[in-house]
Amino acid sequence: NFADSVLEILSQRLTRTLCTSCKKPYKPDDKVIDFLATESCREAIPGGTQADPDKKDIEKQIEKWRTDFSQKGEFTLYKAPGCLDCLETGYRRRMGVHELLVNTPEIKKMILRRAPAAEVHVAGVNAGMHTRKQDGIEKILLGYTDYTHFPHFPDSIFNPTPFPSQASRIRPPTTAVVAAPGNRDPALQSVAVP
């Protein structure tokens, strides 16, 4: 059956990577690291609640990151102001942000009884699954990307910044209305591209 045949389920979302030609390091404030640690710990709370995690868990996460992602105890994040190589966007290429749900005996039972996806997700987190958000935060700490691709991260936490806002450099999407040949509707006779 399906529950026995599934080994793992991989979830992926693509994020843009910072341009290696123009990315520049900066030292984040303590409140930025605290915010990232809070968000990471919030993902690990069983039950999928958005409750604030325990301060001890946040401090423990920051200490773990100090050994994994800092140099001499100092964190370094990156921003890319834009250059000719990246067409002034600050980004080049994409990379995946992943979460991997390993099929445990408990999850097999949940699949057989057709449990809701949220319940299976909570069981995965309880079993130690690393969520996409946590993976994205680690990729921010590694300098591969920045916070602008995480819509729930407020810009005010990460400023002041030495570079202009990423949003100010991105062109709005181009829209077009294309009429089928022979269509007599006057509203569809022209192409509108800003």
Side-chain angles (χ1 to χ4, degrees):
N1 70 29
F2 178 74
D4 290 329
S5 64
V6 172
L7 299 176
E8 303 168 329
I9 299 171
L10 179 68
S11 172
Q12 171 183 296
R13 184 170 183 205
L14 294 177
T15 186
R16 297 192 306 176
T17 56
L18 294 173
C19 175
T20 55
S21 299
C22 66
K23 80 176 182 178
K24 307 248 186 275
Y26 71 96
K27 300 292 180 200
D29 293 339
D30 288 341
K31 68 180 180 178
V32 171
I33 300 301
D34 189 56
F35 176 78
L36 291 174
T38 302
E39 288 298 309
S40 182
C41 290
R42 187 173 279 139
E43 284 291 296
I45 296 175
T49 65
Q50 290 299 310
D52 286 333
D54 202 20
K55 278 288 185 196
K56 291 178 188 174
D57 293 335
I58 295 169
E59 291 169 7
K60 187 175 166 184
Q61 182 67 59
I62 291 172
E63 286 308 310
K64 181 180 182 309
W65 285 350
R66 278 194 202 289
T67 59
D68 295 346
F69 303 114
S70 70
Q71 297 153 2
K72 299 178 184 174
E74 292 290 318
F75 290 99
T76 303
L77 298 183
Y78 293 85
K79 284 241 181 218
C83 65
L84 292 177
D85 288 341
C86 62
L87 303 175
E88 300 297 332
T89 63
Y91 301 100
R92 287 178 71 187
R93 300 186 182 88
R94 295 182 185 269
M95 74 180 335
V97 177
H98 306 93
E99 75 182 26
L100 181 67
L101 175 69
V102 178
N103 196 6
T104 63
E106 179 188 355
I107 291 175
K108 283 182 186 181
K109 290 176 188 171
M110 296 173 103
I111 292 171
L112 288 172
R113 68 177 173 82
R114 298 176 188 254
E119 190 177 330
V120 175
H121 189 267
V122 168
V125 168
N126 290 339
M129 180 179 74
H130 199 68
T131 68
R132 279 192 322 239
K133 188 183 210 181
Q134 290 170 325
D135 189 42
I137 290 170
E138 288 187 3
K139 287 180 176 157
I140 290 170
L141 293 170
L142 286 167
Y144 294 131
T145 190
D146 61 9
Y147 70 94
T148 58
H149 298 303
F150 296 88
H152 50 276
F153 287 4
D155 193 43
S156 61
I157 294 290
F158 292 87
N159 283 329
T161 174
F163 306 114
S165 168
Q166 297 288 349
S168 68
R169 292 195 311 265
I170 299 172
R171 272 185 62 187
T174 304
T175 57
V177 177
V178 179
N183 190 335
R184 300 200 186 272
D185 186 353
L188 297 177
Q189 292 298 320
S190 62
V191 175
V193 179

